[in-house]
Amino acid sequence: MSTELQPPRTYNQNHAPRKYTPGERRISIYWTWSYPWESNRDVTQLDNRFSTMIEVRRVAWPAYEGTEWDGMHFLQGIAGTLELFHRSTLAFQKGAGEVTGHPVAVFQRIDQAGYKLPIDERILSDTDTLMVFGLDHLVSEQQASSGEIEAVGEWLKRDGTCLLLGPHHDVGFTEDMNQRQLEYTHHGDALVPRQQRFGQYTRSMMKGLGVPVLNQYGLRPAVVKGTKQIAPLTINKDLDKLGLLNGVTTFNFHPHLPHYALTTDDTKSVHVLTRQPIDLDRPHPFTAAGNTEFNSCIWMPPNGQRAGHILLADSTIFTTLFGGVESLETFWKNLASMPLASGMQAKKTQAIA
């Protein structure tokens, strides 16, 4: 049986701006990490680092034992794990590109070659949906500058824009070692250390934009009894004015997902669209406090100062590292096909000839 040829890959080139097309959304991904900082971490440190590819291969054996994953063909250190994240979004990029007619642009705060790219007009000028994937460790001290926050705030004044923020989990934030161990046994992932705190960049962006949300913990979703299938979401359909959850019943299973805690009582400005049931058979401080679900998708509709939408959803929802189902692909398509409203303001101010 012949193998389908994939398009040739390019690397280390400048972004080719995408022209404005009425009604067709241009999507960009922004990884908040410093790739060199993360990949250069001392692997003798137990906490607050990504796994090496060797560790992934050992824990996931034999999933990565083909020749395409050996030392001749794939990076074996932390850099290899970072590349797994890049590869895992290809399915989303393909599907979103088919819906919008535009390729999904992928940027990194500091890339493999050491080039630093803050969020500014170079990214925003041809972007309608910006997905900020918060996988920077807190100890790397990535912070959104005042200039970046101002640029994103101005961009959100443009009709039809959507900012999706995806701060990842915050495992083991306490100095209580017993609680760290309890959190570890709750999620059950041998690749996650007892302390792994993510999302300083997204936290600083949320603070600057007035997004009243904090990523907390790393919670294991419940599964349907007798299966390995993730339990259905609790969906607030009356609040889903954009139709993002039409035809959606579940996201994908990931053993340590963040709870997006609201830090305000103002339910008019921020809406919890979905909650995920938690595996209650595995003790955790969050469930010990009486919680049975965590907030997994949040929407902040436009207001007087902001024409664009703000969403919060974890970056792993857009990857294939942890499985994918038809329901998840439906969510991707719904997000990619969000209406651009009139699009007139975007055409006037952001069109690229």
Side-chain angles (χ1 to χ4, degrees):
M1 182 179 294
S2 62
T3 301
E4 181 183 355
L5 287 176
Q6 298 298 314
R9 297 182 61 81
T10 61
Y11 178 72
N12 211 27
Q13 297 187 32
N14 292 331
H15 171 60
R18 298 157 292 185
K19 292 183 178 181
Y20 171 78
T21 306
E24 294 185 350
R25 188 167 288 276
R26 296 162 296 180
I27 299 174
S28 298
I29 292 172
Y30 185 82
W31 296 95
T32 61
W33 57 38
S34 164
Y35 190 108
W37 190 95
E38 300 289 355
S39 62
N40 286 331
R41 286 284 280 158
D42 182 356
V43 298
T44 66
Q45 296 295 312
L46 294 181
D47 294 329
N48 293 305
R49 68 168 176 86
F50 286 104
S51 306
T52 65
M53 190 61 193
I54 290 292
E55 290 167 328
V56 171
R57 288 175 57 192
R58 180 182 297 119
V59 170
W61 190 92
Y64 293 99
E65 290 310 297
T67 56
E68 66 270 29
W69 303 109
D70 66 19
M72 176 68 74
H73 299 91
F74 200 77
L75 297 164
Q76 298 298 298
I78 291 174
T81 301
L82 299 186
E83 290 302 324
L84 285 182
F85 281 100
H86 279 308
R87 292 173 68 135
S88 71
T89 63
L90 291 176
F92 168 76
Q93 291 169 237
K94 181 178 184 294
E98 291 172 350
V99 170
T100 65
H102 292 293
V104 175
V106 180
F107 305 104
Q108 299 178 86
R109 186 159 184 76
I110 305 179
D111 70 9
Q112 294 92 325
Y115 291 105
K116 184 173 183 177
L117 179 62
I119 297 178
D120 58 24
E121 68 279 358
R122 291 172 294 174
I123 292 175
L124 299 173
S125 62
D126 75 327
T127 296
D128 303 303
T129 294
L130 177 62
M131 309 174 74
V132 182
F133 289 168
L135 278 170
D136 57 296
H137 283 89
L138 262 63
V139 290
S140 72
E141 299 181 343
Q142 300 300 313
Q143 293 271 355
S145 69
S146 59
E148 289 177 282
I149 293 168
E150 181 179 355
V152 173
E154 285 298 312
W155 173 76
L156 282 168
K157 294 178 181 178
R158 192 174 86 193
D159 193 21
T161 52
C162 177
L163 174 65
L164 186 144
L165 297 165
H168 199 34
H169 64 238
D170 187 3
V171 169
F173 65 89
T174 177
E175 293 303 315
D176 183 339
M177 297 300 178
N178 290 327
Q179 180 173 324
R180 288 192 192 181
Q181 179 65 10
L182 186 63
E183 291 184 45
Y184 178 80
T185 55
H186 169 79
H187 65 67
D189 187 344
L191 289 171
V192 172
R194 267 62 175 186
Q195 185 181 75
Q196 190 173 46
R197 308 193 65 188
F198 282 117
Q200 181 60 36
Y201 183 88
T202 41
R203 285 182 173 184
S204 61
M205 180 65 73
M206 289 189 290
K207 181 179 179 180
L209 295 175
V211 177
V213 176
L214 180 65
N215 57 311
Q216 296 179 333
Y217 296 116
L219 298 160
R220 188 180 182 94
V223 296
V224 177
K225 293 291 185 182
T227 77
K228 295 182 180 180
Q229 300 299 316
I230 188 171
L233 294 162
T234 299
I235 300 174
N236 294 317
K237 294 184 178 180
D238 292 344
L239 299 177
D240 183 26
K241 306 301 182 183
L242 297 175
L244 292 173
L245 300 165
N246 288 345
V248 176
T249 56
T250 62
F251 295 144
N252 58 352
F253 182 88
H254 181 66
H256 27 78
L257 287 166
H259 167 54
Y260 289 145
L262 300 186
T263 58
T264 180
D265 294 326
D266 180 9
T267 57
K268 292 184 179 180
S269 65
V270 56
H271 303 312
V272 177
L273 297 184
T274 66
R275 294 183 177 87
Q276 178 65 54
I278 306 168
D279 186 341
L280 300 179
D281 292 332
R282 296 167 177 257
H284 190 280
F286 189 67
T287 56
N291 300 288
T292 60
E293 299 178 316
F294 61 87
N295 300 339
S296 57
C297 184
I298 289 175
W299 171 50
M300 293 181 66
N303 56 28
Q305 292 75 43
R306 173 171 44 80
H309 304 270
I310 296 178
L311 292 169
L312 286 101
D314 189 64
S315 57
T316 56
I317 292 174
F318 302 94
T319 74
T320 54
L321 279 178
F322 310 100
V325 295
E326 185 177 347
S327 173
L328 187 67
E329 294 174 352
T330 299
F331 179 68
W332 295 351
K333 292 176 182 177
N334 292 345
L335 180 70
S337 58
M338 278 178 58
L340 278 171
S342 67
M344 293 308 295
Q345 187 176 356
K347 188 173 183 180
K348 286 181 181 178
T349 62
Q350 302 294 341
I352 297 175

